[in-house]
């Protein structure tokens, strides 16, 4: 009887082992199905989307200004968005619409017959810094998409060098189009009120950061000679792929002497840098700064690799605004514009952003970054949430009063 009992016991143990093995395999299959983009799992269990987000296969299509797997982050009110690493993947709808938007812009600016084309006029410039003026490009291009027109060259840009005959953006950028105001069939006047993504098109309700970034990526194409210099700098720095580098913008120049503005030192950003390292394993930082102090302070954080432009920053620490020094002939404007464009374009090739959203310079790089990645990258701003501009009107500076309207300006 004993051998029979042993055989029965072995049979029971074998059955238990097989059952446990099957349960383990089942667990592995279910775990695999939980991957965010797996269409099989999400066809049965769609994501719960907040703030009127639309559930798709493995992600939520969020309304404008909301980001996150569940559209849980309002970019106006939240100064940071630091999602898990597995959420950092291109969103299908942004990838699709990004390609369509770039194709549309290319088609509009390269008509077969200029006489049959519509030309979008340019808004007039005030006296602003380089970052503010470069980001100004969003205005005519946003209206050009709405009006199905090409952007006409502006007659005069204050930051154009005197040696440049066109005296406009084309002193630095590739021409937007071969057509001009004298050859297009109709010139459409600029209207300040029409700056949001066009509601009468397929781009309505898409994320404004991503939308503006696409417009800037199309417009901000430097001349080949400038592009070559930027690529050489990038190679010399040993610039890694986007997911391996943080864009860190530290302001420390003329704008820090404005009473209403609070500027921060490098050490103030490091807590978030450590968070990025813990979550994403990133230890390389591209430091964009006009502060020599910020560059000098990098030596206190040897566990990180800092990259930055090798330039003299002493003249940035003056109280007089750069645009005022430009008017007085105290600046090499061509050098300053190329330097700024280099900084912005290098930041836009990163995968994470840390800075202050009160800065046109930082917001511009962040927007271009989001358009290239086709998702809103992890970010943290030390002052305000993302806004389309840093001012509500000519006299009221938007800083922490986020209850006030942040309009398309």
């Amino acid at each position: 009887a004993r051998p029979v009992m042993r055989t029965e016991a072995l049979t029971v143990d074998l059955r238990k082992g097989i059952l446990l093995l099957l349960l383990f395999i089942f667990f592995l299959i279910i775990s695999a199905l939980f991957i965010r983009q797996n269409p099989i799992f999400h066809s049965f269990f769609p994501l719960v989307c907040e703030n009127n987000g639309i559930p798709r296969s493995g992600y939520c299509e969020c309304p404008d200004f909301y980001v996150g797997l569940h559209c849980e982050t309002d970019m106006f009110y939240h100064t940071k968005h630091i999602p898990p690493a597995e959420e950092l993947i291109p969103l299908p709808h942004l990838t699709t619409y990004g390609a369509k938007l770039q194709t549309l812009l290319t088609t509009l600016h390269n008509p077969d017959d200029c006489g049959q084309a519509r030309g979008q006029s340019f808004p007039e410039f005030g006296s602003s810094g380089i970052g503010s003026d470069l980001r100004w490009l969003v205005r005519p291009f946003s209206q050009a998409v709405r009006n199905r027109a090409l952007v006409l060259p502006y007659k005069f840009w204050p930051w154009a060098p005197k040696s440049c005959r066109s005296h406009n953006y084309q002193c630095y950028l590739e021409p937007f189009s071969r057509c001009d105001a004298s050859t297009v069939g109709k010139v459409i006047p600029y209207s300040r009120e029409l700056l949001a993504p066009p509601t009468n098109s397929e781009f309505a309700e898409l994320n404004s950061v991503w939308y503006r970034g696409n417009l800037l990526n199309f417009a901000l194409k430097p001349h080949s000679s400038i592009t070559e210099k930027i690529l050489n700098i990038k190679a010399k720095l040993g610039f890694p792929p986007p997911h391996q580098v943080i864009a860190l913008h530290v302001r420390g120049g003329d704008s820090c002497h404005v009473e209403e503005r609070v500027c921060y030192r490098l050490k103030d950003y490091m807590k978030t840098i450590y968070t990025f390292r813990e979550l994403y394993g990133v230890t390389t930082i591209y430091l964009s700064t006009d502060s020599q102090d910020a560059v000098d302070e990098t030596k206190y954080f040897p566990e990180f690799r800092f990259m930055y432009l090798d330039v003299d920053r002493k003249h940035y620490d003056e109280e007089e605004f750069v645009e005022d020094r430009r008017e007085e002939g105290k600046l090499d404007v061509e050098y300053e514009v190329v330097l700024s464009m280099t900084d912005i374009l290098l930041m836009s090739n990163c995968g994470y952003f840390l800075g202050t959203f009160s800065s046109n310079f930082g917001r511009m790089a962040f927007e271009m970054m989001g358009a290239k990645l086709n998702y809103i990258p992890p970010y943290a701003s030390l002052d305000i949430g993302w806004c389309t501009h840093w001012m509500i009107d000519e006299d009221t500076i938007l800083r922490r009063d986020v209850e006030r309207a942040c309009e398309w300006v």
Side-chain angles (χ1 to χ4, degrees), residues 25-80:
I25 295 173
F26 179 75
F27 174 79
L28 291 178
I29 294 173
I30 292 298
S31 298
L33 289 174
F34 267 89
I35 296 175
R36 179 184 170 198
Q37 289 292 317
N38 191 289
I40 300 175
F41 175 80
H42 291 292
S43 63
F44 292 100
F45 304 100
L47 287 171
V48 176
C49 302
E50 303 175 18
N51 299 304
N52 297 316
I54 302 172
R56 301 299 187 192
S57 179
Y59 70 100
C60 289
E61 187 174 318
C62 301
D64 198 6
F65 309 118
Y66 289 94
V67 295
L69 179 60
H70 303 280
C71 307
E72 69 277 8
T73 302
D74 183 340
M75 298 188 70
F76 278 171
Y77 291 90
H78 293 85
T79 57
K80 61 182 178 181

Side-chain angles (χ1 to χ4, degrees), residues 58-216:
Y59 70 100
C60 289
E61 187 174 318
C62 301
D64 198 6
F65 309 118
Y66 289 94
V67 295
L69 179 60
H70 303 280
C71 307
E72 69 277 8
T73 302
D74 183 340
M75 298 188 70
F76 278 171
Y77 291 90
H78 293 85
T79 57
K80 61 182 178 181
H81 171 63
I82 309 177
E86 58 267 22
E87 294 185 20
L88 306 185
I89 55 177
L91 297 176
H93 71 296
L94 293 186
T95 303
T96 299
Y97 284 118
K100 289 182 178 181
L101 182 54
Q102 292 299 318
T103 298
L104 173 62
L105 288 166
T106 300
T107 302
L108 289 174
H109 287 82
N110 295 277
D112 294 331
D113 180 3
C114 291
Q116 298 298 316
R118 292 149 61 91
Q120 178 64 59
S121 63
F122 222 101
E124 293 185 7
F125 285 104
S127 180
S128 303
I130 300 172
S132 178
D133 277 5
L134 287 175
R135 196 165 177 266
W136 198 272
L137 287 166
V138 165
R139 296 170 177 255
F141 276 92
S142 179
Q143 291 198 14
V145 171
R146 176 184 293 272
N147 295 321
R148 294 298 190 266
L150 59 88
V151 175
L152 297 171
Y154 191 63
K155 295 180 180 179
F156 176 75
W157 187 36
W159 287 100
K162 293 180 179 179
S163 59
C164 179
R165 296 177 62 182
S166 65
H167 302 296
N168 59 26
Y169 277 115
Q170 293 181 4
C171 296
Y172 305 98
L173 304 178
E174 292 294 332
F176 304 143
S177 173
R178 74 180 190 283
C179 308
D180 57 30
S182 65
T183 59
V184 295
K186 180 180 180 180
V187 175
I188 302 173
Y190 173 78
S191 173
R192 182 184 175 116
E193 288 73 32
L194 302 176
L195 285 173
T199 56
N200 60 343
S201 78
E202 57 190 330
F203 307 113
E205 300 302 321
L206 292 174
N207 186 277
S208 289
V209 169
W210 169 91
Y211 180 74
R212 294 168 78 98
N214 266 286
L215 300 181
L216 290 168

Side-chain angles (χ1 to χ4, degrees), residues 353-373:
F353 177 80
L354 181 56
T356 52
F357 279 153
S358 61
S359 163
N360 275 297
F361 209 84
R363 287 200 314 281
M364 183 177 182
F366 173 67
E367 291 157 4
M368 296 172 70
M369 186 190 305
K372 292 176 180 179
L373 295 171

Side-chain angles (χ1 to χ4, degrees), residues 300-369:
Y300 299 117
F301 307 97
E303 63 270 44
F304 294 97
R305 175 184 171 232
F306 286 90
M307 303 181 295
Y308 43 82
L309 299 180
D310 184 16
V311 296
D312 183 4
R313 294 173 171 81
K314 293 179 182 178
H315 69 285
Y316 295 123
D317 194 29
E318 298 182 17
E319 293 191 19
E320 189 178 16
F321 281 104
V322 290
E323 52 265 38
D324 294 332
R325 280 181 276 161
R326 177 199 68 207
E327 293 298 319
E328 296 169 6
K330 297 179 180 179
L331 287 179
D332 181 342
V333 293
E334 184 173 2
Y335 171 81
E336 296 297 337
V337 171
V338 172
L339 188 65
S340 296
M341 288 172 57
T342 301
D343 242 348
I344 290 170
L345 290 170
L346 289 179
M347 278 199 292
S348 73
N349 278 283
C350 298
Y352 319 86
F353 177 80
L354 181 56
T356 52
F357 279 153
S358 61
S359 163
N360 275 297
F361 209 84
R363 287 200 314 281
M364 183 177 182
F366 173 67
E367 291 157 4
M368 296 172 70
M369 186 190 305

